[in-house]
Amino acid sequence: MFSRKGQDDRSIVALIAGAVRRDISFGDLPPDAKLKIEELRRRYGGSNHSVREALTQLTAEGLVEANAQRGFRVSSATEEDLRDIIRMRAELDPIGLRWSMERGDVAWEGRLMAAGHAADRATEQVLAEPEVSALAWDEAGRAFHAALMEACGSPRLIAVTARLYDQSRRFRLANLREGLCDPRAVAHRQKALLTAILDHDQHAATDHLVADIESDLARAGVR
């Protein structure tokens, strides 16, 4: 049995990890920035132990790097990093999608449609108020991606693809801030992908998914 204190501790760690993850994604904690435990504790709350546990979790996700002598820092975000993330996503995400389409039922399709609708609403909001709605737009995209993978039947593949998606978020949000990402184009690709899934066309669905993943390279001006 888990104690209430243990559950509370895990909740605090999750909250801190979520806040740091968000700030890394939005560039408030820039690449290669040192992450000092005491400064983070004052910024996010919690204890030194909970902050350290949160950073350890983010290290496992690839957003933070740990060094025995130098402590923690935000992971780098170079063009080569982006290429590597995109290459991995383009290989693994289609596997997860194919497995989801093979195993997914009507309930899964309903959840996917709901996630797509939420992403459409978020697109409308971010076009109207880019600064205010950027986080909601990004979270809606993350939820849509999670829905694509959720029926694949492999917790490990779900975890890996989610981690890679999270690692790509700061590039995507940077593109949005710099006007290099058109949310309408993203929404168009998501609709084409959803249509192919509902038509049970695996080939078209995976093609649309890979095109959307690789568009991050073009938007960033990386070749």
Side-chain angles (χ1 to χ4, degrees), residues 36-217:
K36 297 181 180 180
I37 302 295
E38 182 60 27
E39 290 179 1
L40 295 179
R41 186 190 66 77
R42 290 196 298 269
R43 179 170 179 168
Y44 300 107
S47 65
N48 286 357
H49 173 74
S50 57
V51 170
R52 185 176 294 276
E53 286 296 308
L55 293 179
T56 299
Q57 178 180 324
L58 294 174
T59 298
E61 294 178 14
L63 291 175
V64 170
E65 294 179 2
N67 184 288
Q69 285 75 39
R70 299 180 182 178
F72 296 95
R73 69 178 182 89
V74 178
S75 295
S76 64
T78 65
E79 290 183 0
E80 189 56 38
D81 292 324
L82 178 58
R83 287 192 188 93
D84 191 42
I85 292 167
I86 296 304
R87 182 173 58 184
M88 291 295 294
R89 289 195 63 208
E91 290 291 333
L92 295 178
D93 281 25
I95 296 174
L97 178 58
R98 285 196 298 270
W99 290 358
S100 285
M101 291 180 69
E102 291 167 1
R103 297 169 58 94
D105 54 13
V106 173
W108 171 66
E109 292 181 354
R111 292 191 297 274
L112 193 55
M113 290 174 66
H117 178 68
D120 285 342
R121 293 292 301 273
T123 298
E124 294 172 3
Q125 292 170 356
V126 80
L127 289 171
E129 299 178 297
E131 294 297 326
V132 175
S133 302
L135 179 59
W137 174 76
D138 185 62
E139 287 294 337
R142 187 172 187 258
F144 181 74
H145 175 266
L148 293 174
M149 301 293 119
E150 73 170 28
C152 75
S154 171
R156 292 173 179 82
L157 185 57
I158 289 172
V160 171
T161 54
R163 187 176 304 126
L164 289 168
Y165 186 92
D166 283 343
Q167 290 175 16
S168 71
R169 295 174 79 185
R170 51 184 167 165
F171 295 97
R172 189 175 308 107
L173 286 163
N175 288 339
L176 181 66
R177 289 194 303 271
E178 296 168 12
L180 299 174
C181 172
D182 182 358
R184 289 165 295 195
V186 176
H188 178 75
R189 286 189 294 269
Q190 288 176 343
K191 287 179 181 178
L193 170 56
L194 182 56
T195 297
I197 292 171
L198 297 177
D199 288 342
H200 302 137
D201 187 339
Q202 283 193 22
H203 182 73
T206 54
D207 280 353
H208 287 306
L209 179 58
V210 171
D212 186 54
I213 292 169
E214 292 183 342
S215 68
D216 281 337
L217 290 174

